[in-house]
Amino acid sequence: MHHKASSRDTNSQNFPKLKSVETDPDPDIYDITYVDVSPSVGSTSPLSKSPWIAHVDPTDLEPPHSGIKSTANTREPKNYSPNILMGSLFREEGHIYSLATSGDLLYTGSDSKNIRVWKNQTEFSSFKSNSGLVKAIVLAGDKIFTGHQDGKIRVWKVSSKDSNIFRRIGTMPVFRDYLRNSITPSSYFSFMRKNPTSTSAQGFRHVDAISCLTLSEDKKLLYSGSWDQTFKVWRISDLRCLESVKAHDDAVNAVVSGFDGLVFSGSADGTVKVWRREDQAKETKHFFSETLLKQDCAVTAIAVDQSATLVYCGSSDGTVNFWERDNNMKNGGVLKGHKLAVLCLVAAGSLLFSGSADLGIRVWRRPERGDGRGGDVGGGGGEHVCIAVLKGHAGPVKCMAVERDQESASGEKRWIVYSGSLDRSVKMWRVSESSPPIEDQSSDPFDGPTELTMAPSFSGKGRE
């Protein structure tokens, strides 16, 4: 077990109010940087006893309260929709650690044992695991993979008879992998010879919390990163563990499958490493390629922009580094603006969303290829600009999921952003790629959390 594991477990913590905690580059200490466990306003009202509460913004509500300040003026025609906070989902059962979205369904994982499924801002279903603190959720075809604090991956599938019933169909590693590890040593030693970066203590199972899950480019493999310093490769078709890689000298916080068969891993040891995947018959092998970054502070998140072949890395010092494939994977620059650790990154379209322990989400727009605006950031002839700072959470923004807005106006590309926080809520934002840059790229345009005024609250019956 990793020697820092006990310091990361927030289940037994009891903070009387929103409290700041001194941190060091511990891989997931930011789970407790700010922990809000105070009862919600009106906790004795019938509304608070509802299994879910939603705040919805009328479509005609003006956006000044959304926490976004832009440079829109007469020189820049307003040919974009305002960025707004669309609503919030809240449940009194734990901090939100993971999100995934597919179509009209949103999956949320928290430090309770329940994974909840939402549809049209209403709780559609839920399913319960044997272990709390669901730190990662990945959707692969008709399977749902959840990564847990106990080092196991659980696999779920919707019932063929009832679309709101989800059943657990497996746990990884599967039993036969345990057999390979303990009862059939010859098979295990064969595994070790093929995987020299593995360690005998960690072969087929994670011995510490799972921090992240991601799919390969072809969606046939699942990668899991863990505080046990390894990432493992699983075959989705039969749930078998194909490979275990001792990747870092401290907890692995992020693993992302990129482009050209490359996999990127980030760790509390301050490094971002590149691994090259080669398929060998029915096996896989990942070879170390290079180290993109080595720094004193922890690497906390990684995202890949597939269309522009960019790799982004968020760190505990609040910065976001990026690298460009078309520039031989050289560092293209550093995005600065967050006051505390970056905890999650998501790329969508021409945008990058960065969620932070400073309670905000910054929205960055990358320059288009061949953009002639000038600048010294990157080799693309332009700079990333921050087009919005989304504020509203009362706790660190721990996870995000993004989907295309189907209601966008003609010619305008908009995104729906879901953000999960340690304030126990999920917020929904609508962001336009056409938004102009905010005035001050390096500072927060306002102080403190904000809420949309005039937004009616309503409750609905949900599942326990």
Side-chain angles (χ1 to χ4, degrees):
M1 185 71 69
H2 194 279
H3 71 281
K4 294 182 181 179
S6 61
S7 70
R8 307 185 197 107
D9 190 357
T10 62
N11 291 343
S12 61
Q13 303 278 347
N14 184 21
F15 295 92
K17 59 182 180 179
L18 195 66
K19 181 178 179 180
S20 176
V21 180
E22 291 297 323
T23 66
D24 54 46
D26 192 275
D28 215 52
I29 195 71
Y30 306 105
D31 286 1
I32 58 171
T33 302
Y34 290 91
V35 180
D36 179 15
V37 295
S38 58
S40 59
V41 177
S43 59
T44 59
S45 70
L47 177 63
S48 68
K49 295 177 182 178
S50 167
W52 66 279
I53 301 172
H55 301 274
V56 176
D57 171 41
T59 56
D60 58 350
L61 185 65
E62 290 297 317
H65 303 286
S66 64
I68 301 162
K69 186 177 180 181
S70 74
T71 57
N73 52 45
T74 56
R75 290 175 297 176
E76 293 191 47
K78 187 175 180 181
N79 57 355
Y80 63 94
S81 302
N83 301 320
I84 61 170
L85 171 62
M86 299 176 66
S88 301
L89 301 176
F90 179 81
R91 228 187 191 286
E92 281 283 3
E93 67 173 0
H95 310 302
I96 307 299
Y97 281 86
S98 52
L99 291 172
T101 181
S102 174
D104 57 354
L105 297 181
L106 175 71
Y107 298 80
T108 61
S110 68
D111 51 9
S112 76
K113 293 184 178 181
N114 297 304
I115 297 97
R116 303 206 174 270
V117 189
W118 305 82
K119 185 175 183 178
N120 299 326
Q121 301 184 33
T122 305
E123 187 174 341
F124 175 71
S125 180
S126 67
F127 44 98
K128 182 177 291 187
S129 67
N130 295 327
S131 171
L133 202 51
V134 184
K135 298 183 69 64
I137 303 175
V138 161
L139 310 177
D142 59 352
K143 295 185 178 74
I144 302 151
F145 296 88
T146 55
H148 298 258
Q149 181 86 5
D150 63 4
K152 294 180 181 179
I153 302 170
R154 292 171 173 84
V155 191
W156 313 82
K157 194 172 182 180
V158 66
S159 169
S160 58
K161 297 180 180 179
D162 191 339
S163 62
N164 65 356
I165 295 179
F166 293 79
R167 305 186 186 281
R168 184 166 63 87
I169 61 171
T171 300
M172 299 154 62
V174 295
F175 182 68
R176 58 181 175 270
D177 280 337
Y178 278 111
L179 292 178
R180 291 166 67 194
N181 206 341
S182 57
I183 300 178
T184 56
S186 61
S187 174
Y188 179 72
F189 290 138
S190 174
F191 175 91
M192 293 300 297
R193 285 195 299 271
K194 295 177 181 178
N195 299 272
T197 49
S198 299
T199 62
S200 58
Q202 298 170 338
F204 295 105
R205 66 185 182 93
H206 285 299
V207 296
D208 208 333
I210 288 176
S211 58
C212 55
L213 296 173
T214 190
L215 295 177
S216 61
E217 294 174 73
D218 59 9
K219 313 297 184 186
K220 294 181 179 180
L221 301 176
L222 177 75
Y223 293 88
S224 60
S226 170
W227 288 347
D228 67 12
Q229 307 177 16
T230 73
F231 72 79
K232 302 189 190 301
V233 188
W234 313 81
R235 189 164 53 210
I236 288 176
S237 60
D238 59 3
L239 312 183
R240 295 291 296 270
C241 182
L242 301 180
E243 189 180 1
S244 178
V245 179
K246 171 65 168 63
H248 291 274
D249 297 325
D250 206 331
V252 175
N253 288 330
V255 177
V256 177
S257 178
F259 34 76
D260 304 332
L262 300 179
V263 175
F264 303 90
S265 62
S267 167
D269 65 13
T271 64
V272 174
K273 294 183 179 180
V274 185
W275 308 84
R276 179 170 45 86
R277 171 187 146 198
E278 291 187 5
D279 295 323
Q280 302 174 346
K282 295 183 179 180
E283 305 289 335
T284 68
K285 184 73 177 83
H286 288 76
F287 297 91
F288 171 74
S289 178
E290 63 177 311
T291 298
L292 292 181
L293 179 68
K294 186 170 180 58
Q295 60 185 15
D296 292 333
C297 59
V299 173
T300 49
I302 294 177
V304 171
D305 184 331
Q306 294 284 358
S307 61
T309 54
L310 295 174
V311 179
Y312 297 95
C313 154
S315 299
S316 61
D317 63 358
T319 62
V320 177
N321 281 268
F322 67 94
W323 296 265
E324 304 162 311
R325 184 192 67 174
D326 294 344
N327 197 18
N328 297 317
M329 295 304 295
K330 290 183 180 178
N331 188 284
V334 182
L335 309 181
K336 297 180 179 180
H338 286 295
K339 294 180 173 66
L340 295 174
V342 173
L343 302 182
C344 51
L345 293 171
V346 176
S350 64
L351 302 181
L352 174 75
F353 302 87
S354 57
S356 171
D358 66 11
L359 317 187
I361 301 165
R362 296 184 80 90
V363 186
W364 311 86
R365 184 171 59 227
R366 59 171 164 77
E368 295 297 328
R369 296 186 178 185
D371 190 336
R373 287 177 292 173
D376 57 2
V377 177
E383 293 187 6
H384 284 69
V385 294
C386 183
I387 63 171
V389 179
L390 310 178
K391 277 280 191 174
H393 281 295
V397 181
K398 192 69 178 67
C399 53
M400 291 185 293
V402 180
E403 66 179 2
R404 182 75 182 268
D405 182 11
Q406 300 300 322
E407 303 299 321
S408 59
S410 176
E412 183 189 20
K413 201 171 184 180
R414 300 192 315 209
W415 298 92
I416 303 300
V417 184
Y418 300 94
S419 57
S421 169
L422 302 192
D423 66 6
R424 301 171 179 166
S425 77
V426 175
K427 294 190 181 296
M428 296 162 287
W429 316 82
R430 191 188 69 200
V431 177
S432 170
E433 287 194 13
S434 303
S435 302
I438 61 174
E439 290 179 354
D440 188 347
Q441 291 290 306
S442 61
S443 64
D444 230 333
F446 58 93
D447 294 322
T450 63
E451 290 186 4
L452 293 175
T453 58
M454 301 170 57
S457 300
F458 62 93
S459 63
K461 186 177 180 181
R463 300 174 187 274
E464 292 294 333

